[in-house]
Amino acid sequence: MNILEYIPFQGDPPITRKELEKRTGLNDRTNRAFIEKERTSETISPVGVILSSSHSGGYWVSDYEPEIKAFNQEIISRIRKLQKILIHNEQFLLLKSRCEINRSIAEANSQ
């Protein structure tokens, strides 16, 4: 299936996930998998790229450079936020591991 056939060009209006389900006859998870596959494909579509926004509430295809660059900036921002969360969680696990090691050492020394 070519997901690009179901997503409007220039997003006027963007297609919602619910509407995409109706048009494709597939569930949301499957549609999102097709979208991810298209977004990460080594084959670049000459039509444009799939963009999305929680603000606009849906997906659309665009070949408009400023719009694609703005979308890329949103992705970079999300990546940075997620990276901070990942670092925080890894630091917690490291601290927890050190505390468990120290507790084991203390228990061994008290015996």
Side-chain angles (χ1 to χ4, degrees), residues 8-19:
F9 186 73
Q10 299 292 329
D12 192 24
I15 188 168
T16 65
R17 288 165 57 175
K18 190 67 104 183
E19 181 62 28

Side-chain angles (χ1 to χ4, degrees), residues 13-110:
I15 188 168
T16 65
R17 288 165 57 175
K18 190 67 104 183
E19 181 62 28
L20 194 57
E21 281 184 275
K22 290 178 189 174
R23 288 189 189 175
T24 64
L26 303 171
N27 65 40
D28 182 54
R29 183 181 298 254
T30 302
N31 284 329
R32 286 185 288 127
F34 276 115
I35 289 168
E36 180 181 353
K37 184 178 178 184
E38 175 62 33
R39 283 177 163 173
T40 58
S41 173
E42 290 182 12
T43 305
I44 305 298
S45 169
V47 175
V49 296
I50 300 173
L51 304 182
S52 60
S53 171
S54 55
H55 302 294
S56 66
Y59 298 102
W60 69 98
V61 176
S62 179
D63 65 350
Y64 184 57
E65 188 175 330
E67 190 173 43
I68 296 169
K69 286 184 175 185
F71 179 75
N72 289 348
Q73 283 305 119
E74 286 181 32
I75 291 174
I76 290 167
S77 177
R78 283 187 215 146
I79 290 169
R80 287 184 179 139
K81 288 176 187 174
L82 289 171
Q83 189 175 31
K84 288 178 183 179
I85 294 168
L86 178 63
I87 289 168
H88 175 84
N89 291 351
E90 289 295 324
Q91 287 173 337
F92 169 81
L93 292 173
L94 182 61
L95 179 63
K96 182 178 179 191
S97 175
R98 286 181 182 164
C99 288
E100 289 172 359
I101 290 170
N102 289 340
R103 190 178 4 236
S104 295
I105 291 170
E107 287 173 2
N109 288 339
S110 67

